Amino acid sequence: MHEDHGPVRYGPPAPDPGLPVLPELAAVLAAADRTRPEPPGGGHALREAAGGYWDRRGLHGGPENIVAAPGDQPLLLALIAAHGGDVLMPRPSPATWMPQARLLGRPAYQVPTPAECGGIPDPYALLETVRRVRAEGGRPKLLVLSVADDPTATVAPPELVREACEAAVGEGMHIISDETWRDTVHRPRDTLLLSPAEMCPDDVTVISDLCGAFTPAAWPVAVARFPATGRGAARRARTLDVLTALGALVAGPLAPAAAHALAEPEAVRERIRQASELQAQVAAAAHRAVLASGALARPPQAGRHLYADLGPLRPRLADLGVTDSMELEEYLTDRLGAPAPGGHRFGDELGALRVRLGTGPLLGATAEEQRASLTAADPLELPHVERALSRFARAFGELG
């Protein structure tokens, strides 16, 4: 076994710009008369709001356990830098995770996921990977995972999360749980999502990028919650040192808007509910179109993507000159008129014909169309959504 230190040939896919800014949040941002950035790790008000957010989800602790940063990439970079040893993560995983470890010169390994979901490593594969890494002289110390996953849009069953976490902790590893997408679950009443921090409270650091459910991608704010232990305090201090050295400070005007969103007033809760219901309907329609072509995909359960495996369509794609995920990305991006990043960006083998498909472009091309999609009783009947889904289905139907 060897770690992946290959060159990053392509940058990560651009983030989905998401839905129009919630007017209430825009008003808070506009009223922020601030010219200075937040102090390293975020000011008290922002950290207190983040603590309240997690407290309502059963993860208790005060602002002294919280760190804020300008987005998940500098935050994850600082967290990896604050831990010694090698890094493990599931395959596939978000496109930014592996580059963070590479940038720090850390050996990093991807572990296969179970058949049921993405986002977490298969517990048995995790133990085998740890054994092999140690046999080669490595020091596996950190596991990064996501219960509500990008890129696969799945939610890991609690029993599998528990098994994976117990395996990691039993091997002396600390866990970083990326929960950016936990509030975007499509059917929250039917989906049980448990944080690894509820299962292993002393061994899990939780991070969340607010662009998942609360703020636009152009408003970079992410927060981390550390265990309320001596080791947790030490890791928080080292993380703050790295963020300070990087100059990774939350923009002052963004902090009040982020804190307001994390307080979850009624308007924010309603927007999250509307967006989840909309994504559930549109993603399900896109999933049906993918399956109708003969391709494979797990049913999307959270977020704004689905992850498709076009391996069954390999002969037809080969006739079109598509033989790997890089060529598949180019082909589908052209046919769909929207970014369709290939699986190689997420750690899958180049020869595997996998692709992440965003549902954002199906909701409308303008803010007016997107607002109409949010409030429609049946968004699939809206002309702009119907046209977008028809183009999507036609692109895949041509491959069947």
Side-chain angles (χ1 to χ4, degrees):
M1 172 181 291
H2 62 279
E3 67 269 21
D4 185 354
H5 283 304
V8 182
R9 296 182 60 188
Y10 295 89
D16 186 336
L19 294 163
V21 179
L22 185 65
E24 183 171 313
L25 291 184
V28 175
L29 179 65
D33 186 16
R34 301 178 60 178
T35 58
R36 295 180 180 272
E38 290 278 281
H44 182 82
L46 177 55
R47 290 185 289 109
E48 187 174 46
Y53 163 83
W54 273 309
D55 187 72
R56 291 188 292 275
R57 286 152 181 81
L59 303 179
H60 306 297
E64 67 277 5
N65 301 319
I66 307 295
V67 161
D72 64 334
Q73 294 187 47
L75 182 56
L76 182 59
L77 181 73
L79 285 167
I80 295 174
H83 289 76
D86 304 348
V87 184
L88 275 65
M89 60 189 70
R91 182 193 298 272
S93 59
T96 57
W97 286 8
M98 184 64 75
Q100 307 289 41
R102 285 180 178 150
L103 187 60
L104 293 167
R106 294 293 178 80
Y109 306 85
Q110 289 190 299
V111 184
T113 55
E116 294 90 337
C117 62
I120 64 169
D122 178 88
Y124 298 103
L126 175 63
L127 292 173
E128 175 61 16
T129 301
V130 169
R131 184 192 67 78
R132 294 174 63 188
V133 170
R134 286 183 177 150
E136 295 180 359
R139 297 188 307 122
K141 291 293 185 181
L142 189 63
L143 171 64
V144 189
L145 52 74
S146 55
V147 179
D149 182 45
D150 167 23
T152 66
T154 58
V155 176
E159 60 273 15
L160 285 177
V161 177
R162 181 179 296 279
E163 291 175 10
C165 291
E166 288 179 347
V169 171
E171 294 295 331
M173 302 179 70
H174 188 73
I175 298 169
I176 295 176
S177 176
D178 187 339
E179 300 183 8
T180 294
W181 301 100
R182 70 167 295 158
D183 296 297
T184 69
V185 171
H186 294 172
R187 294 180 175 81
R189 294 181 180 178
D190 303 325
T191 306
L192 180 59
L193 186 152
L194 291 180
S195 169
E198 296 179 72
M199 303 175 182
C200 306
D202 294 343
D203 299 291
V204 178
T205 298
V206 181
I207 64 175
S208 180
D209 191 325
L210 270 62
C211 75
F214 292 95
T215 60
W219 297 13
V221 180
V223 288
R225 175 195 177 273
F226 293 80
T229 63
R231 286 185 177 181
R235 289 183 176 122
R236 180 180 183 273
R238 290 197 295 270
T239 301
L240 277 174
D241 288 343
V242 177
L243 291 173
T244 302
L246 292 173
L249 310 177
V250 174
L254 288 181
H260 186 81
L262 286 167
E264 299 179 283
E266 175 59 31
V268 171
R269 294 198 305 272
E270 178 63 14
R271 165 57 72 87
I272 291 173
R273 184 194 64 79
Q274 288 179 325
S276 296
E277 292 182 355
L278 172 61
Q279 294 289 355
Q281 295 182 68
V282 174
H287 183 247
R288 290 192 293 270
V290 169
L291 296 185
S293 73
L296 305 173
R298 296 185 182 103
Q301 297 174 285
R304 302 190 284 264
H305 313 103
L306 64 152
Y307 200 63
D309 183 350
L310 278 66
L313 308 179
R314 187 176 295 274
R316 170 60 177 154
L317 287 166
D319 291 341
L320 297 169
V322 176
T323 60
D324 60 30
S325 63
M326 207 179 304
E327 293 168 345
L328 180 63
E329 174 180 311
E330 296 174 357
Y331 174 80
L332 283 178
T333 295
D334 178 66
R335 296 292 295 125
L336 297 174
H344 60 284
R345 295 180 181 265
F346 309 103
D348 267 328
E349 297 294 334
L350 182 63
L353 294 173
R354 300 192 182 106
V355 64
R356 191 188 72 176
L357 303 163
T359 54
L362 304 175
L363 308 181
T366 66
E368 291 74 16
E369 289 180 346
Q370 293 166 352
R371 291 190 187 97
S373 299
L374 268 174
T375 57
D378 187 352
L380 302 186
E381 293 185 352
L382 293 173
H384 63 271
V385 175
E386 188 175 17
R387 286 194 300 269
L389 281 170
S390 294
R391 179 176 184 174
F392 184 93
R394 186 164 57 251
F396 279 89
E398 293 169 353
L399 302 176

